[in-house]
Amino acid sequence: MARHTHSQGSKRSAHSSLTQETDNTEAILAKFAQAEKLEAQLSAIDDDKKAKRKLPAGTDQKAQGLRAKLCQVLIEVIVADPVISHSKDASKRLWHSCFYSRVNELRQELWKEKSRAKKRQVSGGDVSGSEKIVGVVNERLKGSIKEALKLYEWLIDKMLKMLQPMIQSQSTNVSENSENDDYEHAVVA
């Protein structure tokens, strides 16, 4: 019968922990690969829009779905491993691909519609239709910005909760060290 010693248990535990970390890293890297594919699909749609190609019906909904999925994937990796996420610019990619591109698109649409309204007004035409469109686009823009803010507030909250145990642990260590320093100073005096 084999005897199980404490050091064998520690080695198994260390090996298990290392295997788990490796699996976790591989899963995160797989998520980044998925994010890159989603980013490429969004980029292709954006390129088609910039080239003013005729886009198939439902392209905006497809882009919105891709953005939502990309946002989900990037949030998952940021929360799962902030260090790897930072090294792969996940937060920058989250902002740019999921929010900035949409906000910028709406800002351009708003600018174009305001410009049309101004031209109509100068020529004495009816601007009420343009004003309605400006209002709708403006509300969509505000909604996109609010959505981004809501997500970032949630993410900050989540990260603070993850850091809280570490902060408390460091705080405990600092106060223990301070007590020891006080004790050493009192003994020396």
Side-chain angles (χ1 to χ4, degrees):
M1 185 179 338
R3 295 177 83 185
H4 178 67
T5 65
H6 178 67
S7 74
Q8 288 173 333
S10 296
K11 287 179 185 176
R12 285 185 187 151
S13 176
H15 177 71
S16 174
S17 178
L18 184 60
T19 302
Q20 188 177 9
E21 282 183 35
T22 302
D23 290 346
N24 189 35
T25 300
E26 289 173 2
I28 290 169
L29 293 176
K31 290 276 189 186
F32 273 111
Q34 181 184 7
E36 287 172 6
K37 288 177 184 175
L38 292 166
E39 287 169 322
Q41 290 174 321
L42 277 169
S43 181
I45 290 172
D46 287 343
D47 290 347
D48 286 345
K49 283 182 179 181
K50 287 176 187 171
K52 298 190 181 191
R53 294 186 185 113
K54 183 168 172 117
L55 301 172
T59 300
D60 284 337
Q61 290 81 6
K62 180 181 178 183
Q64 187 175 358
L66 289 170
R67 270 190 213 98
K69 182 65 180 165
L70 178 60
C71 182
Q72 178 185 354
V73 169
L74 290 172
I75 286 293
E76 287 174 8
V77 296
I78 289 170
V79 170
D81 194 324
V83 175
I84 292 176
S85 297
H86 178 70
S87 72
K88 298 227 177 236
D89 281 334
S91 60
K92 179 181 176 183
R93 291 163 66 182
L94 175 69
W95 169 248
H96 189 277
S97 297
C98 298
F99 297 107
Y100 178 77
S101 60
R102 180 66 180 147
V103 166
N104 197 42
E105 186 179 295
L106 289 168
R107 286 172 50 204
Q108 288 175 355
E109 189 177 336
L110 190 61
W111 180 82
K112 285 178 186 176
E113 205 52 51
K114 283 181 177 180
S115 185
R116 283 186 196 134
K118 194 176 264 186
K119 286 178 185 175
R120 285 186 185 131
Q121 187 177 26
V122 168
S123 67
D126 183 24
V127 295
S128 61
S130 289
E131 288 173 348
K132 286 180 185 175
I133 293 172
V134 166
V136 168
V137 174
N138 200 25
E139 287 305 309
R140 289 179 21 214
L141 176 60
K142 286 178 187 177
S144 292
I145 292 170
K146 285 179 183 177
E147 185 180 326
L149 286 171
K150 196 174 182 180
L151 176 81
Y152 281 100
E153 286 173 349
W154 176 87
L155 183 59
I156 290 167
D157 228 24
K158 181 80 171 169
M159 299 306 285
L160 286 173
K161 286 177 184 171
M162 289 172 58
L163 289 172
Q164 196 64 37
M166 287 186 273
I167 293 169
Q168 288 173 342
S169 172
Q170 288 177 351
S171 173
T172 302
N173 290 340
V174 168
S175 52
E176 285 175 1
N177 288 338
S178 296
E179 289 172 12
N180 290 341
D181 289 345
D182 292 343
Y183 175 74
E184 289 172 11
H185 291 302
V187 172
V188 172

